[in-house]
Every structure is written in C-alpha cells, then in structure tokens.
Amino acid sequence: MIQLGQILFILSVLVILHELGHYVAAKIFKVRVEKFYLFMDAGFSLLKKKIGETEWGIGWLPIGGYVKLAGMIDESMDTEQMKSPPQPWEFRSKPAWQRLIIMLGGIIVNIILAWFIYTVVYSTYGQKYISTERIQENGLVFGEVGQKAGFRNGDKIIAVDGKYQPNFNRMTLDVLLGDNVQVERDGKKTDLILTDEMKAEIIGKEGKQFMGPRGVNIQIDSIVPNSNAQKASLKIGDNIVGINGVKVAYFDQLSGELGKHKNDSVTLDVKRNNEVIQLKALVGKDGTLGFKQKTKELKQDYLVNNQLTVGEAIPAAVKESWSLLVYNVKQFKLILRPKTEAYKHVKSPVGIARALPDEWNWEFIWNFTALFSIGLAFMNLLPIPGLDGGHALFTIAEMITGKRLGEKAAGYVQTVGMVILLSLMALTFGKDIYQLVADKFF
C-alpha cells in the first residue's frame, strides 16, 4: 500500500502541475478552459465540480490527465464544437505562436519543477551519489552475462565512449547505453565493444546489477517467476553464504561456484533472519538460479554528499536536469534498437510502483519526482499525434509554411495518435499486471 501511495502521490503532483502549465498559458491568452482533470475520466469521473467556466475533476484511470480547451481537438475527441464558426475565446482562433506556447506550457512546468526540486534537495539533504572512484578501488565483479560480454572480475571502468563518470549508478547506466567501454585490467587499458545482442542479455537477465563492488556481500533483490530460485523457496532479502559447504562471501565467488554446477543440484547455505538454513536448488544450464541480486547497504565511505548553498544548488540543479534529459534521449534510442530488447522492459505506473521502496522516504520521493518530471517532459516532447510534441510539431509547420492542418485531417491525426498511445499503454500495463499476478500466484 505504501508503494501504491507513493506512485499516486508522485503522479498526482506531476499531472496537476503539467496540466496547470497548459491552463495558465491558456488563461493568459484568454482561451476558455472547459475541463481540468487529474487522471482520465473515460466514461465517468470519481469527483467533479463546475467552477466558473471550468469543470474540475478526478478521473478513475491513473494514466495522466488533461485540460480541455474550447476550440481544440484533444484527448476528449470532442469535435462537435468544431462544426460551429470560430469564437474569440477558442484555441483555434489564436495566433500560432500563442497556441505553441499553450501546447508547451506543461513541458515547461515539468522542467522548472525538476529544477526547483533539485535546488531544494541539494540545499537541504545535499547532493548525494555513490563514488565510482571509491567503489572500484579494488576493482569490480561481474555476473555470468557480464563476463560473457568480455568483462573480468577485478576490472576498473575508466571511460565509456571516451567519458569518465564519477557517479557509479550513472556509470552503470552509461555502460548499458554506450558502445565502447574502456577498462583497466592488470595495469593495462583494454577496450570492450558491447553489441546490441550483449546488451539484450545483460538487460534481460541482470540489468543494472550486472556489476558491483568487489568485496561486498550480495543479497537477493528479486526472484524470476517459475525459476529454480523460486522452486527452492528462496526469498527476497536472503543472503547465500555457501554452496555445497563451500563458503561464498562475495559476488564473484557465488557466480563462480554456481558455474561449476550447471544442470546440477546443489545445497545452498542461506542466511535468513540471522539464521543459516539449507535449501536444495537446481542450477540452470547458464549457471544461474533465476534471481537478481543487490548489494547490501554500501559502506558510508562510498557515499559522496556535497552540501550546497542555494546559490550553488541552482546551477547544479540545472545541470542535473539537462543530464537527465540527455539520458532520456539515449534510453529512447536504445528502445528503438530492437536487438537490445530494451522495449520489453518499458514500465507502466504499475511496474514503476513495484520498484519503489516499501517505506515512505521524502528525500527519495522528491528525487524520484524530479527524475520522473524530466521523463514526462521528454515523453511529451516526442512528435507523436496526441502528445504535446505532436500538436507543437503541426503548429511549428504552420508557422513555417503559413498553411494550417484542416480540422477534418486534424481529427484523423488525433484519432491515430490516441490509438497508438492507448495501444502502447495497454501493452505496458498488461505486461506489468501479468507480472504482478504471476509473482503472487505462480
């Protein structure tokens, strides 16, 4: 329930402020706003109240929200008013530059919101990250998939596509998004080229946890449904400390021992609730049991906490927001490369909620809200009919050519865009809901 509460809170903040950006811009240019909705009211709304010319409400479907502007074909697909002559208070009566600002209002607010949140977080909690330099002082360890891609236990990553990343979590992401990884191995520099097929295997089997610090215990973070790990009754939070009587304290030792027993049964010594129990398990042909691992709480020495003044936090917040926007572009490009199979791991709010912590932490929530805000800004910038970027694209084309898309054609374009968006939402929601049910009952 805490995870559900967190995602509903984050979505509510982002949707309300995004739509408020459209609303304020519309009011500035004297466009009538007929509806302002948090979440979609397909068929019916949970709450609604008419105040002045605007109906304010909450829909039942938490996949976004909208403001309905008079004289515009939008998510509501209401085309009746378009049959009447244009009125001065309608969106379609305004100059193209004003319509463009109204369309970009939500995106602008999302970016400003991220700047503001990061400024407050950096000047109160501090700018925190895990140091790449500190965490790989003794080198890194890699899972089976990472080693197949060419990494070796003890490697230190010194650059990805020619750039060094001081933030370890970002550096892990850089490796998955980049192409050329330069490592230091036995005192020498070695270049590794990651193919799309390698990335598909890393993302699918181990994700961002495919590498970690050497000399740090590893515990189970998630279990693949119907896997050997699940059949062996392993649980999230378990720490495997031995295999067939051989002690395994670190990640490389664990993967090494499992690799010796492919397609064979083993006895696991598992530390659970400060007690060591023994479980029988079958090791797969790839030398894995079917779970993902996470490092236990990292030593305080790995954490960098820069305490910034408000004056220092403002440019740092702008830099961080820009960096996140660049990462969104890179991740989108990765999704468009089918061989990476990154598209299979796109998450709906259901999937995102499941990844949130099960305790309420304001520092985490505000950081995640800022990150999500930049993601929402990027998504809405995409030139897809039905999104703000699609409307903006046609408006910019009109400003350049002097020709406006006909209302009938605009209706068709909006319909196609909504079908595409709803289909994508249905796929991502369906995938995450199926995974939720499978994890609970299978």
Side-chain angles (χ1 to χ4, degrees), residues 139-175:
L140 300 170
V141 291
F142 300 85
E144 181 87 9
V145 178
Q147 293 187 47
K148 281 177 62 179
F151 293 99
R152 296 291 178 267
N153 291 335
D155 283 354
K156 294 182 180 181
I157 297 176
I158 54 180
V160 179
D161 292 340
K163 295 182 180 179
Y164 174 74
Q165 172 58 261
N167 182 327
F168 179 72
N169 292 331
R170 290 283 170 81
M171 193 262 283
T172 305
L173 189 58
D174 285 346
V175 170

PDB file of all heavy atoms in Angstrom, residues 139-175:
ATOM      1  N   GLY A 139      38.570  -2.889  -7.727  1.00  0.00           N
ATOM      2  CA  GLY A 139      38.013  -3.462  -8.945  1.00  0.00           C
ATOM      3  C   GLY A 139      36.549  -3.819  -8.776  1.00  0.00           C
ATOM      4  O   GLY A 139      35.966  -3.655  -7.699  1.00  0.00           O
ATOM      5  N   LEU A 140      35.949  -4.306  -9.848  1.00  0.00           N
ATOM      6  CA  LEU A 140      34.531  -4.673  -9.854  1.00  0.00           C
ATOM      7  C   LEU A 140      34.380  -6.162 -10.078  1.00  0.00           C
ATOM      8  O   LEU A 140      35.310  -6.832 -10.550  1.00  0.00           O
ATOM      9  CB  LEU A 140      33.793  -3.910 -10.968  1.00  0.00           C
ATOM     10  CG  LEU A 140      33.819  -2.377 -10.881  1.00  0.00           C
ATOM     11  CD1 LEU A 140      33.263  -1.771 -12.170  1.00  0.00           C
ATOM     12  CD2 LEU A 140      33.034  -1.876  -9.685  1.00  0.00           C
ATOM     13  N   VAL A 141      33.202  -6.673  -9.735  1.00  0.00           N
ATOM     14  CA  VAL A 141      32.873  -8.065 -10.031  1.00  0.00           C
ATOM     15  C   VAL A 141      31.662  -8.083 -10.945  1.00  0.00           C
ATOM     16  O   VAL A 141      30.818  -7.185 -10.893  1.00  0.00           O
ATOM     17  CB  VAL A 141      32.591  -8.878  -8.745  1.00  0.00           C
ATOM     18  CG1 VAL A 141      33.856  -9.062  -7.957  1.00  0.00           C
ATOM     19  CG2 VAL A 141      31.516  -8.223  -7.896  1.00  0.00           C
ATOM     20  N   PHE A 142      31.582  -9.100 -11.796  1.00  0.00           N
ATOM     21  CA  PHE A 142      30.538  -9.167 -12.823  1.00  0.00           C
ATOM     22  C   PHE A 142      29.843 -10.528 -12.792  1.00  0.00           C
ATOM     23  O   PHE A 142      30.440 -11.547 -12.432  1.00  0.00           O
ATOM     24  CB  PHE A 142      31.152  -8.934 -14.215  1.00  0.00           C
ATOM     25  CG  PHE A 142      31.837  -7.604 -14.357  1.00  0.00           C
ATOM     26  CD1 PHE A 142      33.165  -7.451 -13.958  1.00  0.00           C
ATOM     27  CD2 PHE A 142      31.161  -6.511 -14.849  1.00  0.00           C
ATOM     28  CE1 PHE A 142      33.798  -6.234 -14.068  1.00  0.00           C
ATOM     29  CE2 PHE A 142      31.796  -5.279 -14.967  1.00  0.00           C
ATOM     30  CZ  PHE A 142      33.113  -5.141 -14.570  1.00  0.00           C
ATOM     31  N   GLY A 143      28.580 -10.501 -13.179  1.00  0.00           N
ATOM     32  CA  GLY A 143      27.825 -11.738 -13.266  1.00  0.00           C
ATOM     33  C   GLY A 143      28.217 -12.538 -14.497  1.00  0.00           C
ATOM     34  O   GLY A 143      29.075 -12.142 -15.287  1.00  0.00           O
ATOM     35  N   GLU A 144      27.541 -13.659 -14.664  1.00  0.00           N
ATOM     36  CA  GLU A 144      27.816 -14.558 -15.786  1.00  0.00           C
ATOM     37  C   GLU A 144      27.687 -13.840 -17.117  1.00  0.00           C
ATOM     38  O   GLU A 144      28.529 -13.973 -18.018  1.00  0.00           O
ATOM     39  CB  GLU A 144      26.840 -15.740 -15.720  1.00  0.00           C
ATOM     40  CG  GLU A 144      27.017 -16.774 -16.816  1.00  0.00           C
ATOM     41  CD  GLU A 144      28.035 -17.834 -16.460  1.00  0.00           C
ATOM     42  OE1 GLU A 144      28.489 -17.874 -15.302  1.00  0.00           O
ATOM     43  OE2 GLU A 144      28.383 -18.632 -17.351  1.00  0.00           O
ATOM     44  N   VAL A 145      26.618 -13.041 -17.240  1.00  0.00           N
ATOM     45  CA  VAL A 145      26.356 -12.348 -18.512  1.00  0.00           C
ATOM     46  C   VAL A 145      27.424 -11.291 -18.773  1.00  0.00           C
ATOM     47  O   VAL A 145      27.911 -11.148 -19.896  1.00  0.00           O
ATOM     48  CB  VAL A 145      24.954 -11.711 -18.498  1.00  0.00           C
ATOM     49  CG1 VAL A 145      24.702 -10.945 -19.794  1.00  0.00           C
ATOM     50  CG2 VAL A 145      23.878 -12.770 -18.305  1.00  0.00           C
ATOM     51  N   GLY A 146      27.780 -10.531 -17.734  1.00  0.00           N
ATOM     52  CA  GLY A 146      28.813  -9.514 -17.895  1.00  0.00           C
ATOM     53  C   GLY A 146      30.140 -10.108 -18.324  1.00  0.00           C
ATOM     54  O   GLY A 146      30.849  -9.547 -19.164  1.00  0.00           O
ATOM     55  N   GLN A 147      30.462 -11.262 -17.771  1.00  0.00           N
ATOM     56  CA  GLN A 147      31.714 -11.916 -18.147  1.00  0.00           C
ATOM     57  C   GLN A 147      31.661 -12.451 -19.580  1.00  0.00           C
ATOM     58  O   GLN A 147      32.668 -12.439 -20.289  1.00  0.00           O
ATOM     59  CB  GLN A 147      32.026 -13.042 -17.155  1.00  0.00           C
ATOM     60  CG  GLN A 147      32.347 -12.506 -15.758  1.00  0.00           C
ATOM     61  CD  GLN A 147      32.824 -13.582 -14.805  1.00  0.00           C
ATOM     62  OE1 GLN A 147      33.677 -14.386 -15.154  1.00  0.00           O
ATOM     63  NE2 GLN A 147      32.266 -13.604 -13.599  1.00  0.00           N
ATOM     64  N   LYS A 148      30.493 -12.895 -20.004  1.00  0.00           N
ATOM     65  CA  LYS A 148      30.342 -13.322 -21.408  1.00  0.00           C
ATOM     66  C   LYS A 148      30.544 -12.149 -22.360  1.00  0.00           C
ATOM     67  O   LYS A 148      31.018 -12.327 -23.485  1.00  0.00           O
ATOM     68  CB  LYS A 148      28.950 -13.930 -21.620  1.00  0.00           C
ATOM     69  CG  LYS A 148      28.799 -15.365 -21.132  1.00  0.00           C
ATOM     70  CD  LYS A 148      27.385 -15.873 -21.316  1.00  0.00           C
ATOM     71  CE  LYS A 148      26.977 -15.892 -22.783  1.00  0.00           C
ATOM     72  NZ  LYS A 148      25.601 -16.424 -22.951  1.00  0.00           N
ATOM     73  N   ALA A 149      30.186 -10.948 -21.898  1.00  0.00           N
ATOM     74  CA  ALA A 149      30.341  -9.754 -22.732  1.00  0.00           C
ATOM     75  C   ALA A 149      31.788  -9.281 -22.797  1.00  0.00           C
ATOM     76  O   ALA A 149      32.107  -8.376 -23.579  1.00  0.00           O
ATOM     77  CB  ALA A 149      29.448  -8.625 -22.209  1.00  0.00           C
ATOM     78  N   GLY A 150      32.653  -9.878 -21.975  1.00  0.00           N
ATOM     79  CA  GLY A 150      34.076  -9.541 -22.047  1.00  0.00           C
ATOM     80  C   GLY A 150      34.658  -8.948 -20.788  1.00  0.00           C
ATOM     81  O   GLY A 150      35.879  -8.747 -20.706  1.00  0.00           O
ATOM     82  N   PHE A 151      33.819  -8.627 -19.788  1.00  0.00           N
ATOM     83  CA  PHE A 151      34.338  -8.086 -18.532  1.00  0.00           C
ATOM     84  C   PHE A 151      34.992  -9.200 -17.723  1.00  0.00           C
ATOM     85  O   PHE A 151      34.636 -10.371 -17.845  1.00  0.00           O
ATOM     86  CB  PHE A 151      33.204  -7.445 -17.715  1.00  0.00           C
ATOM     87  CG  PHE A 151      32.632  -6.210 -18.344  1.00  0.00           C
ATOM     88  CD1 PHE A 151      31.445  -6.266 -19.070  1.00  0.00           C
ATOM     89  CD2 PHE A 151      33.269  -4.984 -18.210  1.00  0.00           C
ATOM     90  CE1 PHE A 151      30.909  -5.138 -19.649  1.00  0.00           C
ATOM     91  CE2 PHE A 151      32.739  -3.842 -18.787  1.00  0.00           C
ATOM     92  CZ  PHE A 151      31.546  -3.913 -19.521  1.00  0.00           C
ATOM     93  N   ARG A 152      35.925  -8.813 -16.879  1.00  0.00           N
ATOM     94  CA  ARG A 152      36.585  -9.762 -15.996  1.00  0.00           C
ATOM     95  C   ARG A 152      36.552  -9.215 -14.567  1.00  0.00           C
ATOM     96  O   ARG A 152      36.698  -8.004 -14.351  1.00  0.00           O
ATOM     97  CB  ARG A 152      38.047  -9.984 -16.416  1.00  0.00           C
ATOM     98  CG  ARG A 152      38.188 -10.618 -17.790  1.00  0.00           C
ATOM     99  CD  ARG A 152      37.723 -12.067 -17.802  1.00  0.00           C
ATOM    100  NE  ARG A 152      37.817 -12.667 -19.144  1.00  0.00           N
ATOM    101  CZ  ARG A 152      36.831 -12.683 -20.020  1.00  0.00           C
ATOM    102  NH1 ARG A 152      35.659 -12.131 -19.715  1.00  0.00           N
ATOM    103  NH2 ARG A 152      36.992 -13.245 -21.195  1.00  0.00           N
ATOM    104  N   ASN A 153      36.384 -10.118 -13.598  1.00  0.00           N
ATOM    105  CA  ASN A 153      36.413  -9.687 -12.206  1.00  0.00           C
ATOM    106  C   ASN A 153      37.736  -8.992 -11.909  1.00  0.00           C
ATOM    107  O   ASN A 153      38.795  -9.489 -12.263  1.00  0.00           O
ATOM    108  CB  ASN A 153      36.212 -10.878 -11.266  1.00  0.00           C
ATOM    109  CG  ASN A 153      34.800 -11.436 -11.341  1.00  0.00           C
ATOM    110  OD1 ASN A 153      33.867 -10.725 -11.703  1.00  0.00           O
ATOM    111  ND2 ASN A 153      34.646 -12.700 -11.004  1.00  0.00           N
ATOM    112  N   GLY A 154      37.643  -7.830 -11.276  1.00  0.00           N
ATOM    113  CA  GLY A 154      38.839  -7.033 -10.999  1.00  0.00           C
ATOM    114  C   GLY A 154      39.000  -5.860 -11.943  1.00  0.00           C
ATOM    115  O   GLY A 154      39.818  -4.966 -11.688  1.00  0.00           O
ATOM    116  N   ASP A 155      38.236  -5.831 -13.052  1.00  0.00           N
ATOM    117  CA  ASP A 155      38.297  -4.695 -13.993  1.00  0.00           C
ATOM    118  C   ASP A 155      37.876  -3.394 -13.304  1.00  0.00           C
ATOM    119  O   ASP A 155      37.012  -3.394 -12.425  1.00  0.00           O
ATOM    120  CB  ASP A 155      37.361  -4.923 -15.186  1.00  0.00           C
ATOM    121  CG  ASP A 155      37.929  -5.914 -16.197  1.00  0.00           C
ATOM    122  OD1 ASP A 155      39.093  -6.328 -16.037  1.00  0.00           O
ATOM    123  OD2 ASP A 155      37.192  -6.279 -17.139  1.00  0.00           O
ATOM    124  N   LYS A 156      38.479  -2.304 -13.744  1.00  0.00           N
ATOM    125  CA  LYS A 156      38.047  -0.962 -13.341  1.00  0.00           C
ATOM    126  C   LYS A 156      37.633  -0.214 -14.599  1.00  0.00           C
ATOM    127  O   LYS A 156      38.406  -0.157 -15.572  1.00  0.00           O
ATOM    128  CB  LYS A 156      39.188  -0.204 -12.644  1.00  0.00           C
ATOM    129  CG  LYS A 156      39.612  -0.784 -11.317  1.00  0.00           C
ATOM    130  CD  LYS A 156      40.715   0.062 -10.690  1.00  0.00           C
ATOM    131  CE  LYS A 156      41.161  -0.517  -9.356  1.00  0.00           C
ATOM    132  NZ  LYS A 156      42.227   0.316  -8.729  1.00  0.00           N
ATOM    133  N   ILE A 157      36.424   0.333 -14.613  1.00  0.00           N
ATOM    134  CA  ILE A 157      35.952   1.066 -15.788  1.00  0.00           C
ATOM    135  C   ILE A 157      36.460   2.494 -15.706  1.00  0.00           C
ATOM    136  O   ILE A 157      36.192   3.213 -14.732  1.00  0.00           O
ATOM    137  CB  ILE A 157      34.417   1.033 -15.866  1.00  0.00           C
ATOM    138  CG1 ILE A 157      33.936  -0.411 -16.049  1.00  0.00           C
ATOM    139  CG2 ILE A 157      33.911   1.915 -17.013  1.00  0.00           C
ATOM    140  CD1 ILE A 157      32.442  -0.591 -16.049  1.00  0.00           C
ATOM    141  N   ILE A 158      37.214   2.897 -16.717  1.00  0.00           N
ATOM    142  CA  ILE A 158      37.816   4.238 -16.696  1.00  0.00           C
ATOM    143  C   ILE A 158      37.155   5.194 -17.679  1.00  0.00           C
ATOM    144  O   ILE A 158      37.321   6.406 -17.573  1.00  0.00           O
ATOM    145  CB  ILE A 158      39.336   4.165 -16.957  1.00  0.00           C
ATOM    146  CG1 ILE A 158      39.646   3.421 -18.251  1.00  0.00           C
ATOM    147  CG2 ILE A 158      40.032   3.495 -15.794  1.00  0.00           C
ATOM    148  CD1 ILE A 158      41.134   3.316 -18.559  1.00  0.00           C
ATOM    149  N   ALA A 159      36.364   4.660 -18.637  1.00  0.00           N
ATOM    150  CA  ALA A 159      35.658   5.545 -19.572  1.00  0.00           C
ATOM    151  C   ALA A 159      34.615   4.753 -20.360  1.00  0.00           C
ATOM    152  O   ALA A 159      34.791   3.565 -20.620  1.00  0.00           O
ATOM    153  CB  ALA A 159      36.639   6.211 -20.542  1.00  0.00           C
ATOM    154  N   VAL A 160      33.524   5.426 -20.699  1.00  0.00           N
ATOM    155  CA  VAL A 160      32.510   4.876 -21.597  1.00  0.00           C
ATOM    156  C   VAL A 160      32.333   5.873 -22.733  1.00  0.00           C
ATOM    157  O   VAL A 160      32.013   7.041 -22.489  1.00  0.00           O
ATOM    158  CB  VAL A 160      31.162   4.645 -20.885  1.00  0.00           C
ATOM    159  CG1 VAL A 160      30.134   4.099 -21.875  1.00  0.00           C
ATOM    160  CG2 VAL A 160      31.319   3.684 -19.711  1.00  0.00           C
ATOM    161  N   ASP A 161      32.598   5.402 -23.958  1.00  0.00           N
ATOM    162  CA  ASP A 161      32.577   6.296 -25.128  1.00  0.00           C
ATOM    163  C   ASP A 161      33.449   7.527 -24.894  1.00  0.00           C
ATOM    164  O   ASP A 161      33.091   8.652 -25.251  1.00  0.00           O
ATOM    165  CB  ASP A 161      31.139   6.715 -25.469  1.00  0.00           C
ATOM    166  CG  ASP A 161      30.305   5.550 -25.981  1.00  0.00           C
ATOM    167  OD1 ASP A 161      30.904   4.551 -26.425  1.00  0.00           O
ATOM    168  OD2 ASP A 161      29.070   5.631 -25.928  1.00  0.00           O
ATOM    169  N   GLY A 162      34.585   7.290 -24.238  1.00  0.00           N
ATOM    170  CA  GLY A 162      35.568   8.350 -24.042  1.00  0.00           C
ATOM    171  C   GLY A 162      35.339   9.250 -22.849  1.00  0.00           C
ATOM    172  O   GLY A 162      36.116  10.178 -22.620  1.00  0.00           O
ATOM    173  N   LYS A 163      34.291   8.997 -22.031  1.00  0.00           N
ATOM    174  CA  LYS A 163      33.975   9.881 -20.905  1.00  0.00           C
ATOM    175  C   LYS A 163      33.991   9.110 -19.582  1.00  0.00           C
ATOM    176  O   LYS A 163      33.464   8.006 -19.498  1.00  0.00           O
ATOM    177  CB  LYS A 163      32.611  10.540 -21.106  1.00  0.00           C
ATOM    178  CG  LYS A 163      32.558  11.486 -22.300  1.00  0.00           C
ATOM    179  CD  LYS A 163      31.185  12.136 -22.417  1.00  0.00           C
ATOM    180  CE  LYS A 163      31.121  13.091 -23.609  1.00  0.00           C
ATOM    181  NZ  LYS A 163      29.785  13.715 -23.753  1.00  0.00           N
ATOM    182  N   TYR A 164      34.573   9.732 -18.574  1.00  0.00           N
ATOM    183  CA  TYR A 164      34.588   9.158 -17.230  1.00  0.00           C
ATOM    184  C   TYR A 164      33.367   9.647 -16.472  1.00  0.00           C
ATOM    185  O   TYR A 164      32.985  10.820 -16.574  1.00  0.00           O
ATOM    186  CB  TYR A 164      35.860   9.571 -16.488  1.00  0.00           C
ATOM    187  CG  TYR A 164      35.885   9.135 -15.028  1.00  0.00           C
ATOM    188  CD1 TYR A 164      36.089   7.801 -14.695  1.00  0.00           C
ATOM    189  CD2 TYR A 164      35.684  10.060 -14.008  1.00  0.00           C
ATOM    190  CE1 TYR A 164      36.105   7.392 -13.360  1.00  0.00           C
ATOM    191  CE2 TYR A 164      35.701   9.666 -12.678  1.00  0.00           C
ATOM    192  CZ  TYR A 164      35.905   8.326 -12.363  1.00  0.00           C
ATOM    193  OH  TYR A 164      35.912   7.932 -11.047  1.00  0.00           O
ATOM    194  N   GLN A 165      32.728   8.763 -15.708  1.00  0.00           N
ATOM    195  CA  GLN A 165      31.529   9.115 -14.958  1.00  0.00           C
ATOM    196  C   GLN A 165      31.813   8.931 -13.463  1.00  0.00           C
ATOM    197  O   GLN A 165      32.002   7.811 -12.988  1.00  0.00           O
ATOM    198  CB  GLN A 165      30.358   8.218 -15.385  1.00  0.00           C
ATOM    199  CG  GLN A 165      29.096   8.356 -14.554  1.00  0.00           C
ATOM    200  CD  GLN A 165      28.540   9.754 -14.535  1.00  0.00           C
ATOM    201  OE1 GLN A 165      28.767  10.502 -13.579  1.00  0.00           O
ATOM    202  NE2 GLN A 165      27.831  10.117 -15.590  1.00  0.00           N
ATOM    203  N   PRO A 166      31.827  10.022 -12.674  1.00  0.00           N
ATOM    204  CA  PRO A 166      32.139   9.911 -11.241  1.00  0.00           C
ATOM    205  C   PRO A 166      31.019   9.292 -10.405  1.00  0.00           C
ATOM    206  O   PRO A 166      31.262   8.828  -9.298  1.00  0.00           O
ATOM    207  CB  PRO A 166      32.392  11.366 -10.822  1.00  0.00           C
ATOM    208  CG  PRO A 166      31.621  12.183 -11.817  1.00  0.00           C
ATOM    209  CD  PRO A 166      31.691  11.427 -13.106  1.00  0.00           C
ATOM    210  N   ASN A 167      29.787   9.303 -10.932  1.00  0.00           N
ATOM    211  CA  ASN A 167      28.634   8.727 -10.232  1.00  0.00           C
ATOM    212  C   ASN A 167      28.493   7.260 -10.645  1.00  0.00           C
ATOM    213  O   ASN A 167      28.205   6.960 -11.802  1.00  0.00           O
ATOM    214  CB  ASN A 167      27.376   9.520 -10.594  1.00  0.00           C
ATOM    215  CG  ASN A 167      26.130   9.028  -9.872  1.00  0.00           C
ATOM    216  OD1 ASN A 167      25.975   7.849  -9.587  1.00  0.00           O
ATOM    217  ND2 ASN A 167      25.214   9.948  -9.605  1.00  0.00           N
ATOM    218  N   PHE A 168      28.680   6.321  -9.700  1.00  0.00           N
ATOM    219  CA  PHE A 168      28.700   4.900 -10.054  1.00  0.00           C
ATOM    220  C   PHE A 168      27.371   4.430 -10.647  1.00  0.00           C
ATOM    221  O   PHE A 168      27.360   3.660 -11.616  1.00  0.00           O
ATOM    222  CB  PHE A 168      29.038   4.058  -8.820  1.00  0.00           C
ATOM    223  CG  PHE A 168      29.059   2.581  -9.108  1.00  0.00           C
ATOM    224  CD1 PHE A 168      30.086   2.023  -9.851  1.00  0.00           C
ATOM    225  CD2 PHE A 168      28.045   1.750  -8.642  1.00  0.00           C
ATOM    226  CE1 PHE A 168      30.113   0.667 -10.129  1.00  0.00           C
ATOM    227  CE2 PHE A 168      28.067   0.391  -8.909  1.00  0.00           C
ATOM    228  CZ  PHE A 168      29.100  -0.153  -9.655  1.00  0.00           C
ATOM    229  N   ASN A 169      26.249   4.862 -10.084  1.00  0.00           N
ATOM    230  CA  ASN A 169      24.953   4.448 -10.635  1.00  0.00           C
ATOM    231  C   ASN A 169      24.780   4.934 -12.073  1.00  0.00           C
ATOM    232  O   ASN A 169      24.253   4.221 -12.927  1.00  0.00           O
ATOM    233  CB  ASN A 169      23.812   4.971  -9.758  1.00  0.00           C
ATOM    234  CG  ASN A 169      23.783   4.302  -8.397  1.00  0.00           C
ATOM    235  OD1 ASN A 169      24.209   3.155  -8.274  1.00  0.00           O
ATOM    236  ND2 ASN A 169      23.326   5.008  -7.379  1.00  0.00           N
ATOM    237  N   ARG A 170      25.234   6.136 -12.349  1.00  0.00           N
ATOM    238  CA  ARG A 170      25.175   6.666 -13.717  1.00  0.00           C
ATOM    239  C   ARG A 170      26.159   5.924 -14.620  1.00  0.00           C
ATOM    240  O   ARG A 170      25.885   5.697 -15.793  1.00  0.00           O
ATOM    241  CB  ARG A 170      25.498   8.164 -13.713  1.00  0.00           C
ATOM    242  CG  ARG A 170      24.416   9.008 -13.067  1.00  0.00           C
ATOM    243  CD  ARG A 170      23.229   9.181 -14.009  1.00  0.00           C
ATOM    244  NE  ARG A 170      22.115   9.791 -13.319  1.00  0.00           N
ATOM    245  CZ  ARG A 170      21.994  11.099 -13.090  1.00  0.00           C
ATOM    246  NH1 ARG A 170      22.929  11.928 -13.514  1.00  0.00           N
ATOM    247  NH2 ARG A 170      20.943  11.567 -12.450  1.00  0.00           N
ATOM    248  N   MET A 171      27.307   5.583 -14.061  1.00  0.00           N
ATOM    249  CA  MET A 171      28.305   4.880 -14.863  1.00  0.00           C
ATOM    250  C   MET A 171      27.778   3.512 -15.306  1.00  0.00           C
ATOM    251  O   MET A 171      28.003   3.070 -16.433  1.00  0.00           O
ATOM    252  CB  MET A 171      29.601   4.727 -14.068  1.00  0.00           C
ATOM    253  CG  MET A 171      30.793   4.289 -14.907  1.00  0.00           C
ATOM    254  SD  MET A 171      31.038   2.532 -14.768  1.00  0.00           S
ATOM    255  CE  MET A 171      31.812   2.449 -13.169  1.00  0.00           C
ATOM    256  N   THR A 172      27.039   2.841 -14.411  1.00  0.00           N
ATOM    257  CA  THR A 172      26.422   1.564 -14.772  1.00  0.00           C
ATOM    258  C   THR A 172      25.457   1.759 -15.931  1.00  0.00           C
ATOM    259  O   THR A 172      25.421   0.957 -16.875  1.00  0.00           O
ATOM    260  CB  THR A 172      25.672   0.983 -13.558  1.00  0.00           C
ATOM    261  OG1 THR A 172      26.562   0.886 -12.460  1.00  0.00           O
ATOM    262  CG2 THR A 172      25.123  -0.396 -13.870  1.00  0.00           C
ATOM    263  N   LEU A 173      24.679   2.827 -15.877  1.00  0.00           N
ATOM    264  CA  LEU A 173      23.741   3.138 -16.955  1.00  0.00           C
ATOM    265  C   LEU A 173      24.493   3.500 -18.229  1.00  0.00           C
ATOM    266  O   LEU A 173      24.090   3.104 -19.331  1.00  0.00           O
ATOM    267  CB  LEU A 173      22.828   4.291 -16.521  1.00  0.00           C
ATOM    268  CG  LEU A 173      21.642   4.641 -17.427  1.00  0.00           C
ATOM    269  CD1 LEU A 173      20.736   3.437 -17.610  1.00  0.00           C
ATOM    270  CD2 LEU A 173      20.860   5.804 -16.843  1.00  0.00           C
ATOM    271  N   ASP A 174      25.595   4.232 -18.082  1.00  0.00           N
ATOM    272  CA  ASP A 174      26.410   4.599 -19.245  1.00  0.00           C
ATOM    273  C   ASP A 174      26.887   3.365 -20.000  1.00  0.00           C
ATOM    274  O   ASP A 174      26.916   3.340 -21.233  1.00  0.00           O
ATOM    275  CB  ASP A 174      27.623   5.432 -18.815  1.00  0.00           C
ATOM    276  CG  ASP A 174      27.256   6.866 -18.456  1.00  0.00           C
ATOM    277  OD1 ASP A 174      26.135   7.282 -18.788  1.00  0.00           O
ATOM    278  OD2 ASP A 174      28.082   7.551 -17.841  1.00  0.00           O
ATOM    279  N   VAL A 175      27.290   2.334 -19.249  1.00  0.00           N
ATOM    280  CA  VAL A 175      27.783   1.103 -19.873  1.00  0.00           C
ATOM    281  C   VAL A 175      26.692   0.480 -20.744  1.00  0.00           C
ATOM    282  O   VAL A 175      26.944   0.028 -21.866  1.00  0.00           O
ATOM    283  CB  VAL A 175      28.259   0.102 -18.803  1.00  0.00           C
ATOM    284  CG1 VAL A 175      28.551  -1.263 -19.429  1.00  0.00           C
ATOM    285  CG2 VAL A 175      29.511   0.635 -18.109  1.00  0.00           C
TER     286      VAL A 175
END
